[in-house]
Amino acid sequence: MTLARRGVTTPASPFPVLPLRSGTLFPGTTLTLPVGRVRSVALLDALAPGAIIGVALQKDANVSDPAEGDLHDIGTWARVMRLERTRDRGFRVTLEGLGRLHLTRLTRTEPYWRAEGTDAAESNDQGPEAQLLAQTLREHATSLAAQSGGALNNVSADGNDPGAVADQIAAALGLSQEKELRVLRELDVTARLRLVATLLAEARELNELKTRIESDVRKEFGKNQRDALLREQIRALKRELGEEHSSDDELSALRARLDEAGLSPDARTVADRELRRLEGMNAQNAESHVIRTYLEWLADLPWTKRADAKDDLDAVAARLEADHFGLDDVKKRILEHMAVLKLSGNPRGTILCLAGPPGVGKTSLGQSIADATGRPFLRISLGGVRDEAEVRGHRRTYVGALPGRIMHAMRKAKVKNPVVLLDEIDKLAHGWQGNPEAALLEVLDPEQNRTFTDHYVEVPFDLSEVLFVCTANDLGALSGPLRDRLEIIELQGYTADEKLHIAKRHLIPKQLKEHAIPDTSLAVSDGALRAIIRDYTREAGVRQLQREITRLCRALALEVARTTDALPVARTLEEKDLVKLLGKARFFSEVAERTSVPGVATGLAWTPVGGDILFIETSRMPGKGGVEITGQLGDVMKESARAALTYVRSNAATLHVDPAFLASHDVHIHVPAGAVPKDGPSAGVTIFTALTSLLTGRRVRNDTAMTGEATLSGRVMPVGGIKAKVLAAHRAGITRVVLPSRNRADIDEVPEAVRAAMEFIFADDMSQVIAAALEAPGAPLNDDATPTPSSEDAHGVERTAA
């Protein structure tokens, strides 16, 4: 309906206009809003109630002084119904919408805005379709008002004006500004009614959804109120029974700890179930203590907490170098692990196994790795563990059940990426309680330990970010599946020079500090240290060396304690002082003495505590061809002795041996240290050499040791433990070593200082071993013989002098 038909006279152009930041004024509705802009206040100052102005919505509400183009071109003619002054010198104005306005031009004249425009004529406002749509729309609005109330109850448009019905309902729906503008722009009344009908249907669906949500919320709220009431009644009953204590506070604290623990979804489900059981249980019930202990374990485990691992490779390398001398392979592997972690960001853990003799620093290396990477360090000693439950925990059905050692370590670490040292993994025992070694298969499998399940915890726990470091002396004691899961790094022992540096850098300063002796008051000369290493210790590691240095410090401390004098300013212990402080030497070089007669050869052996030298002694006596083998030898070693004897007999002519020697003589093969069990194929070459020396009368060179497996046809087969055996030979003062040719690559693992001091002879056949190991017939024993390196001698023996 036009303004003329309503009896309203609009002002002539240009007319005052009031820009609105928000809100749409529809014809037939009222709008109350505050006014504070300078131009708007000036406009209202000049008006009186009943004045007619133009109202238009800004395109951008942030524009404080709109110009032409900042207002929408569709607006509303408005009558000023009420003006009220506010405390901030502004106005609060109530406007009544009269009709649509089409703005053609906006001018900014002082003191307020003016605009030019015309009435926006409506069409199709009185047709039967419009009347029917208006009636239907009014009925739906009334129905929705009955359900939700609100502004729809205030719709009072006459049904004879369909456009007014659409405008009032659109104003009452609380539409977005964009949708209100769509309704205001629609000049076709029939189309406007259809548009408002669509918006009304959307509002009805939204109201129904809101009603359902409120109903669900009221039901849940009612259930919570009911539960709270029941809990209050339970507390009242406990007060009457005298059983009330701080259990509710403890439960609240326990629930808060579980909420903060960051439990996995599986653990959260189990924790909620056990909490419900605990809440409905008498606090004096024995089962409640079991449940509470279990929940406390769940709360204490580090489900999501991680330590900030260092990624500065130079700093990590410097720390490892400062703590340990040598061990280059281990240090390189740790740096590789840190480099991968730094580049990929993948926190997946690593499982290392440090294998080697005692005293080489395997256990202390775990602490150095933790310090270098900035992670907590936990040590789990597995020596003598014979119960599977020690690793995986007990079932909660048992009285006094607790988690296994892995979960104890994680609880103590308080982070999920610590360094865990599994010490002496080869000392696990097997008992009727189960096989603890089998329980470690899941722990030490990088593909499975992300879901490790302890029998007590009963929910998967992620161990994939733990850096596991295992230590072992004898890898042969491990089962195949367990060994397959480990990344083996072998530590074969230290050379004399390495022990010297370790003593000066680590052992002596540590013992001086422990015995309260100033660093400047005692020094040990290099000669004295070498004498201790040579004459008082004979080991792969440095544990006995540390004991001897401790004895030195104790002896010096005793001298100081018996006198009132202070420590001498710079006392240096020399080699001549060792007899007084440590007693007489314990070890001597007996190679020359043992090999001074034919029939004795020096072999090399590997043991779980490092390499060692092994003497093979043979003797013959009148008899009837009997063969005696003694020295507590294993089956493999006995078979090697029989094979060597057979080869000597079958090649008697080549070896210049009487082929009928067994017809009138017995042969006795003995390996000293009879209390120690011995076995393995690597003594075959040594047994053969000893027998050949006995039967030919040619002595074995006293500067030569050998190792290798001999076949029945005289071939020399490769063996293991070359590095440990060569180091043992070097400690014993041997300068020549005969090795199988196929062990040539193993020499690269031997330290450069040892390679430079020794000659290595590689043989494929026993004839080459004989040529390299035996003295010439009738030659005197040469204690000071110095081998001359050459590429190949007359017997085709290949030699290498580093």
Side-chain angles (χ1 to χ4, degrees):
M1 185 179 291
T2 62
L3 292 179
R5 290 168 56 187
R6 294 174 181 169
V8 177
T9 303
T10 58
S13 297
F15 52 85
V17 66
L18 178 64
L20 301 182
R21 294 181 186 270
S22 62
T24 303
L25 179 61
F26 286 97
T29 65
T30 59
L31 180 66
T32 300
L33 67 156
V35 176
R37 285 187 285 194
V38 177
R39 292 180 183 271
S40 299
V41 170
L43 170 61
L44 297 181
D45 270 333
L47 297 178
I52 297 176
I53 61 173
V55 175
L57 187 64
Q58 292 182 197
K59 296 179 180 178
D60 185 358
N62 296 321
V63 177
S64 59
D65 189 14
E68 187 172 2
D70 292 330
L71 301 180
H72 290 284
D73 59 355
I74 190 72
T76 310
W77 292 110
R79 177 184 288 117
V80 179
M81 301 292 294
R82 182 183 300 173
L83 285 172
E84 295 180 1
R85 282 282 186 181
T86 59
R87 294 182 179 180
D88 56 357
R89 297 183 181 180
F91 282 97
R92 185 173 182 82
V93 61
T94 300
L95 302 173
E96 177 189 7
L98 301 177
R100 283 170 170 75
L101 166 65
H102 181 69
L103 291 176
T104 57
R105 184 168 175 267
L106 177 67
T107 60
R108 287 191 293 182
T109 58
E110 296 299 337
Y112 46 79
W113 290 281
R114 291 180 179 273
E116 296 177 357
T118 59
D119 292 346
E122 300 177 353
S123 60
N124 296 328
D125 59 342
Q126 295 298 324
E129 184 180 3
Q131 295 291 342
L132 182 59
L133 285 171
Q135 181 62 30
T136 304
L137 190 60
R138 190 179 182 85
E139 292 174 357
H140 284 296
T142 303
S143 175
L144 182 58
Q147 296 177 9
S148 61
L152 286 173
N153 286 325
N154 301 325
V155 175
S156 59
D158 188 356
N160 294 327
D161 189 353
V165 173
D167 289 339
Q168 289 195 10
I169 292 177
L173 287 177
L175 303 173
S176 65
Q177 184 171 294
E178 181 183 356
K179 292 181 179 179
E180 287 181 340
L181 280 173
R182 287 175 56 195
V183 175
L184 188 64
R185 289 181 179 278
E186 187 56 68
L187 300 181
D188 188 320
V189 175
T190 301
R192 188 192 311 162
L193 288 167
R194 294 184 184 277
L195 175 60
V196 174
T198 301
L199 298 174
L200 183 62
E202 294 176 358
R204 180 188 293 274
E205 292 179 0
L206 184 62
N207 181 69
E208 291 176 353
L209 178 60
K210 180 180 178 182
T211 302
R212 287 198 302 271
I213 294 175
E214 290 178 349
S215 176
D216 294 340
V217 170
R218 282 194 298 270
K219 289 180 180 178
E220 184 65 26
F221 183 70
K223 179 180 181 298
N224 293 338
Q225 282 185 323
R226 175 179 174 275
D227 293 345
L229 179 60
L230 290 176
R231 291 193 186 96
E232 184 60 35
Q233 291 175 348
I234 292 173
R235 284 194 289 268
L237 290 174
K238 287 183 177 180
R239 282 195 297 271
E240 293 295 328
L241 294 173
E243 297 178 356
E244 187 188 26
H245 50 80
S246 59
S247 60
D248 292 335
D249 295 337
E250 292 177 359
L251 281 177
S252 299
L254 182 57
R255 185 180 292 105
R257 287 174 58 192
L258 290 169
D259 292 338
E260 296 173 358
L263 303 179
S264 65
D266 292 338
R268 181 78 257 183
T269 301
V270 173
D272 291 341
R273 182 191 67 203
E274 297 299 321
L275 270 175
R276 289 193 296 269
R277 291 182 58 200
L278 188 60
E279 289 172 349
M281 191 177 293
N282 189 335
Q284 303 303 319
N285 192 332
E287 182 68 16
S288 68
H289 296 287
V290 175
I291 297 175
R292 188 185 301 275
T293 302
Y294 174 72
L295 292 175
E296 288 176 350
W297 264 99
L298 290 183
D300 290 341
L301 290 175
W303 298 91
T304 57
K305 297 179 181 178
R306 294 178 176 84
D308 294 332
K310 300 176 182 177
D311 58 0
D312 187 347
L313 299 181
D314 293 336
V316 173
R319 182 58 185 265
L320 292 175
E321 187 64 31
D323 290 348
H324 288 80
F325 183 84
L327 305 180
D328 295 333
D329 290 342
V330 182
K331 295 174 183 177
K332 179 182 178 183
R333 180 63 188 89
I334 297 302
L335 291 177
E336 289 173 350
H337 167 74
M338 297 303 301
V340 172
L341 180 62
K342 180 178 181 179
L343 294 177
S344 66
N346 183 7
R348 179 175 176 177
T350 301
I351 299 172
L352 304 177
C353 181
L354 307 179
V360 296
K362 300 186 300 298
T363 302
S364 60
L365 190 64
Q367 180 68 61
S368 298
I369 293 173
D371 295 340
T373 57
R375 304 187 187 189
F377 175 71
L378 283 306
R379 175 180 172 270
I380 300 176
S381 178
L382 298 178
V385 173
R386 62 182 182 277
D387 189 354
E388 177 195 1
E390 291 281 345
V391 179
R392 299 187 70 102
H394 300 83
R395 300 285 182 184
R396 281 197 291 150
T397 53
Y398 293 100
V399 176
L402 283 175
R405 298 193 181 193
I406 302 297
M407 289 293 99
H408 273 88
M410 299 305 297
R411 182 189 191 186
K412 186 176 181 180
K414 298 181 180 180
V415 294
K416 64 182 302 183
N417 60 338
V419 176
V420 176
L421 179 73
L422 301 179
D423 207 8
E424 307 292 352
I425 195 173
D426 58 327
K427 306 300 190 301
L428 288 168
H430 297 175
W432 60 269
Q433 300 95 332
N435 185 356
E437 186 178 278
L440 287 174
L441 294 180
E442 183 181 7
V443 177
L444 299 179
D445 192 336
E447 302 299 330
Q448 298 180 22
N449 60 11
R450 63 177 61 254
T451 56
F452 172 73
T453 302
D454 185 273
H455 288 161
Y456 180 85
V457 178
E458 290 184 332
V459 292
F461 187 85
D462 186 4
L463 295 177
S464 63
E465 299 182 31
V466 179
L467 175 55
F468 286 104
V469 180
C470 307
T471 68
N473 298 130
D474 183 10
L475 292 175
L478 302 180
S479 66
L482 180 59
R483 183 170 179 174
D484 182 63
R485 285 162 166 78
L486 305 177
E487 183 174 345
I488 307 296
I489 300 178
E490 295 190 5
L491 311 179
Q492 299 292 354
Y494 298 109
T495 65
D497 289 337
E498 289 175 336
K499 291 181 181 180
L500 177 66
H501 286 89
I502 292 172
K504 295 172 65 175
R505 183 185 297 183
H506 301 285
L507 301 183
I508 294 178
K510 177 182 178 181
Q511 294 304 320
L512 291 178
K513 181 178 180 181
E514 290 184 358
H515 290 80
I517 300 176
D519 296 341
T520 58
S521 299
L522 177 65
V524 183
S525 67
D526 290 354
L529 285 175
R530 293 185 185 277
I532 294 175
I533 295 169
R534 180 185 66 249
D535 300 334
Y536 292 86
T537 67
R538 185 165 290 179
E539 57 177 346
V542 293
R543 190 164 291 161
Q544 184 62 33
L545 177 60
Q546 180 177 351
R547 294 192 186 102
E548 299 301 328
I549 293 175
T550 303
R551 289 183 62 190
L552 289 178
C553 294
R554 287 202 308 263
L556 181 59
L558 179 61
E559 291 181 5
V560 174
R562 284 178 172 176
T563 62
T564 57
D565 298 335
L567 287 172
V569 176
R571 180 173 180 179
T572 302
L573 296 180
E574 300 291 348
E575 185 175 353
K576 58 183 174 51
D577 301 321
L578 297 181
V579 176
K580 176 183 177 181
L581 298 174
L582 300 180
K584 62 181 180 179
R586 299 184 184 86
F587 299 98
F588 305 92
S589 178
E590 53 184 346
V591 177
E593 178 183 353
R594 289 289 188 96
T595 58
S596 60
V597 295
V600 181
T602 305
L604 299 175
W606 179 91
T607 68
V609 296
D612 200 0
I613 61 173
L614 188 72
F615 292 102
I616 304 294
E617 298 180 349
T618 60
S619 180
R620 64 179 178 176
M621 65 209 77
K624 297 181 180 180
V627 178
E628 183 74 16
I629 303 175
T630 58
Q632 200 173 162
L633 307 184
D635 292 339
V636 176
M637 207 164 180
K638 290 179 180 179
E639 292 173 357
S640 297
R642 295 190 184 97
L645 186 59
T646 300
Y647 179 80
V648 171
R649 294 180 63 186
S650 62
N651 293 272
T654 305
L655 298 174
H656 304 290
V657 173
D658 183 6
F661 71 92
L662 281 181
S664 58
H665 290 83
D666 293 340
V667 175
H668 191 153
I669 303 174
H670 177 69
V671 182
V676 180
K678 313 168 192 70
D679 201 5
S682 61
V685 167
T686 312
I687 296 174
F688 169 83
T689 304
L691 284 172
T692 305
S693 172
L694 172 69
L695 299 177
T696 60
R698 298 169 59 186
R699 292 168 297 196
V700 179
R701 293 185 55 160
N702 64 350
D703 60 352
T704 302
M706 62 204 72
T707 185
E709 178 182 358
T711 67
L712 197 61
S713 61
R715 301 297 298 170
V716 179
M717 306 300 293
V719 292
I722 295 299
K723 179 180 178 181
K725 294 175 180 179
V726 171
L727 291 178
H730 183 259
R731 287 194 296 269
I734 293 173
T735 58
R736 299 173 77 243
V737 176
V738 180
L739 299 173
S741 295
R742 289 167 62 181
N743 284 120
R744 181 189 305 273
D746 296 325
I747 297 300
D748 294 337
E749 300 178 2
V750 179
E752 177 64 29
V754 176
R755 295 204 306 267
M758 302 186 72
E759 178 188 5
F760 300 99
I761 303 168
F762 299 99
D764 292 309
D765 188 81
M766 287 305 306
S767 61
Q768 297 174 330
V769 176
I770 294 299
L774 298 185
E775 295 281 354
L781 183 64
N782 186 4
D783 294 334
D784 300 323
T786 301
T788 302
S790 62
S791 60
E792 189 172 344
D793 63 9
H795 297 277
V797 179
E798 186 178 354
R799 304 170 183 267
T800 299

